[in-house]
Amino acid sequence: MRLMVYSHDSFGLGNIRRMLAICNHLLDAIPGLSILVVSGSPVLHSFRMPRGLDYIKLPCFGRNESGEVAAKYLNTAADETVKLRSDLIKVAAVNFKPDLLLVDKKPYGLQEELKATLDYLKLRLPETKLVLLLRDILDSPEPTIKEWQKYGYYDALQWYYDQVLVVGMPEVFDLSREYQFSPCIAQKVRFCGYIRRDYGQKPRHVLRQELQIQPDEKFVLVTPGGGGDGYDLVDTYLQGLAQLSPQHNIKSLIISGPEMPLFQRQALQEKIQPYPQVQICEFTDDIASYMDAADAVVSMGGYNTICEIISLNKRAVVVPRIKPVQEQWIRAERMAGLGLFKTIHPDLLTPAALMDAVLEQLNSRSHHFPPVSRLDLDALHQIAQDIHTLLHSPTTRLVSKKPILFPQVISTQQA
């Protein structure tokens, strides 16, 4: 069986890390599976690739000074880069002939670069199953509904896709209801739960020895994900740390992320010089080991990071981003309401507020870990079951000639 995975990820690490975790599990769960990943991630080569998986690296997208999508490294126009990426994706599908195409987040791909491939598969390889993977929350409802209507994403789900897998729970965010999916589309939606993150490659005690953490020291991991917009969080943490007396005996590791601009990483390197108890590195593909070794975590509110926090039962302070979308804030607020961690709105972030929250987590006298039992963390198993079923089921996709009627955009309660 052949699985082709499309990840548009040109920004940050989140999507590609999530998709690779899913791919690794699928290779273990489905015998004889071959997976071809097609992605624009600039750090794809940094991850360990298991046997049975290979990838095609697309030219990277980034954003120019105006915030518009543009080629990140090539001196080519945006439309030229889209055409190049679109052709590469289609050629891969034509020659690989996937039994199933798994698409991450955007039904038509970035800048609609996937549409030619979808049309080809529908016409020439109609037996190929099409599955869209959505994270638990995309954005607050009103802008999401407007975007999906504007770009025809509801059409895509109705005409092209056999199933929509959501790595989340309706008890946290009912995506079908919040985004006003039609009954036809809602029938294709499968809530799979959240993705449980495995322990890392190194045991907790080994990593703490490598970091020279003494028995009487507390270890705080600071991780702003990809790091593209993580400087303020790290800088605020360092300012808060400077206000503490040495008796708190805290050792900190900052993983800045490969997307943090070089000048910001250099600025942080200078700021930590007076603090021998603070270390900084750019990237690791084994973040779970460092998180497991930590006594507390300071992070942003990305999907993968939150799944790691709750999977490893970590006490954490989460400062989500609120731009350009509200996804992280909605997730952080609702999960903090379940008692899974502490959250601070970025508008209320100060060195004192952050350090008070960190000390609260470090000094908690409770021996009970956060109530992760409230969340379903079995998404990988459920995804594997659903994809296995689709791979071994006959094609039943129907094409209707009736127009799709979309619901009106209504005011929806914001989280």
Side-chain angles (χ1 to χ4, degrees), residues 23 44 129 243 300 310 316 364 368 387-388:
C23 288
L44 183 57
K129 304 299 193 305
Q243 299 173 7
M300 300 180 78
I310 60 180
S364 174
H368 298 288
I387 286 183
H388 183 273

Side-chain angles (χ1 to χ4, degrees), residues 114-134:
L114 194 60
K115 193 171 187 309
T117 298
L118 297 179
D119 288 336
Y120 172 82
L121 293 175
K122 192 178 182 73
L123 180 65
R124 299 295 184 183
L125 294 174
E127 67 278 8
T128 299
K129 304 299 193 305
L130 302 176
V131 178
L132 181 69
L133 183 86
L134 296 177

Side-chain angles (χ1 to χ4, degrees), residues 140-142 145 177-180 409-415:
S140 53
E142 189 168 348
I145 293 169
R177 178 179 61 81
E178 299 274 6
Y179 299 150
Q180 300 182 18
V409 178
I410 63 174
S411 177
T412 308
Q413 183 177 359
Q414 303 296 305

Side-chain angles (χ1 to χ4, degrees), residues 36-101:
L36 178 64
V37 175
V38 181
S39 174
S41 171
V43 296
L44 183 57
H45 63 280
S46 300
F47 294 93
R48 294 180 177 88
M49 297 297 169
R51 183 172 180 80
L53 184 149
D54 210 336
Y55 66 89
I56 293 174
K57 168 68 177 62
L58 302 175
C60 285
F61 271 126
R63 296 194 183 276
N64 59 25
E65 295 179 355
S66 302
E68 300 172 335
V69 172
K72 189 169 185 176
Y73 300 117
L74 298 177
N75 293 318
T76 54
D79 57 347
E80 291 179 300
T81 309
V82 170
K83 178 66 164 56
L84 174 58
R85 286 169 54 113
S86 180
D87 288 348
L88 289 171
I89 296 166
K90 182 178 176 182
V91 167
V94 169
N95 289 277
F96 188 61
K97 298 180 177 62
D99 297 292
L100 188 145
L101 172 64

